[in-house]
Amino acid sequence: MKKTLSILAFLLVALTLRSQVVATPAGARLTLDSVTTEIIVYAPGMVRVIKYVGERPELTPCKALKVGKGDPRAKEYRRAEAKHKYKVDTGLIYAAINDKDGNVSFWDHDEQLILAEQHKTGRLGAPAGKKGLREVSQDFQFGRAQVDSIWCPSSREHTDLRDRVITVGDRRAGLPSPRITTEKGWEIVWNSPLPATLDTRSTRDGHKPSDITFTSTAAPHLDYFFLLR
């Protein structure tokens, strides 16, 4: 009997201490194991994701999208909770945070997965150097609709990014843009400091063909945009 009561007490404490997703004027936020994950809706087809430790950072402009500093204006977004996911309806898609692991995922209105962060793969390394910058990286996996091509748009040509490790960054330095596109109509724009590394090798352990990993070696926080045309 005492053992049963102890187990029940433990479960009650665990439920009480479980991190809760907090609604924000333009999205949602969750802090889990000292890492805060935040989704910010800029437009029906534009969602920003940031991950940081400690105080919320000042948001840097995204040159690839010509998006300035700060947050978008607050709007009334429909919200729902189901199966540990807190979903924000942007009007075009659902952007969701998993309250168990902090993963962010994107779904269409038919509840079909478009893109998701792989399980517990958002990494913010220990601060290093005088500025306290970190190595940050994020793994992404595709939904049921398999992606056949990943490419980088540029003014002159499209660079095929499948099954490669490349450096992305400033086009003026001859590097591919950090904005990648698929034939399914969605894009990822890596907004953590550049240059960064993009890895799409199918030979990596635990990865499916065309799953992708972005890494920046010196960043104050993790930052990217999801776009759907």
Side-chain angles (χ1 to χ4, degrees):
M1 184 65 179
K2 289 184 178 180
K3 184 177 181 180
T4 301
L5 290 174
S6 297
I7 293 174
L8 288 173
F10 173 80
L11 290 174
L12 286 172
V13 170
L15 288 172
T16 303
L17 295 178
R18 195 183 79 183
S19 296
Q20 298 293 319
V21 178
V22 177
T24 61
R29 180 179 66 246
L30 171 71
T31 300
L32 192 65
D33 297 331
S34 76
V35 176
T36 297
T37 299
E38 188 171 343
I39 55 177
I40 307 167
V41 181
Y42 280 73
M46 180 187 292
V47 179
R48 189 175 197 169
V49 178
I50 57 172
K51 297 174 185 279
Y52 54 92
V53 177
E55 294 184 2
R56 190 179 194 270
E58 180 182 358
L59 300 185
T60 56
C62 181
K63 295 180 180 179
L65 296 176
K66 298 181 180 179
V67 174
K69 294 183 179 181
D71 294 339
R73 294 182 179 179
K75 291 185 178 181
E76 291 295 328
Y77 295 104
R78 294 176 55 191
R79 303 162 190 272
E81 295 184 59
K83 297 181 180 179
H84 296 289
K85 289 184 176 62
Y86 183 97
K87 301 190 298 184
V88 179
D89 186 350
T90 72
L92 185 61
I93 57 172
Y94 295 115
I97 298 181
N98 189 309
D99 65 8
K100 293 182 67 176
D101 56 22
N103 280 5
V104 174
S105 53
F106 303 93
W107 306 73
D108 65 23
H109 282 167
D110 293 325
E111 302 291 345
Q112 296 296 311
L113 178 64
I114 303 171
L115 178 75
E117 298 176 353
Q118 285 193 334
H119 181 62
K120 291 186 176 180
T121 57
R123 293 178 290 275
L124 287 83
K130 294 182 179 180
K131 295 183 179 180
L133 300 179
R134 310 165 183 268
E135 179 176 282
V136 302
S137 64
Q138 181 66 63
D139 292 5
F140 299 92
Q141 61 185 14
F142 303 132
R144 294 180 183 178
Q146 193 58 249
V147 170
D148 298 321
S149 64
I150 305 171
W151 47 273
C152 171
S154 67
S155 57
R156 295 183 180 179
E157 61 183 7
H158 293 157
T159 304
D160 188 353
L161 306 180
R162 288 175 297 177
D163 207 28
R164 297 177 61 187
V165 179
I166 65 170
T167 300
V168 295
D170 192 338
R171 292 182 187 177
R172 290 174 296 182
L175 299 175
S177 166
R179 179 174 182 168
I180 68 164
T181 301
T182 74
E183 84 282 359
K184 302 298 183 182
W186 57 262
E187 305 179 25
I188 299 175
V189 180
W190 186 251
N191 195 45
S192 292
L194 302 172
T197 300
L198 172 64
D199 191 343
T200 62
R201 292 173 298 173
S202 58
T203 55
R204 294 174 292 158
D205 293 337
H207 290 78
K208 298 178 181 179
S210 295
D211 284 1
I212 56 180
T213 303
F214 276 102
T215 302
S216 286
T217 56
H221 60 278
L222 194 154
D223 186 356
Y224 71 89
F225 284 82
F226 172 83
L227 306 177
L228 183 64
R229 297 192 301 274

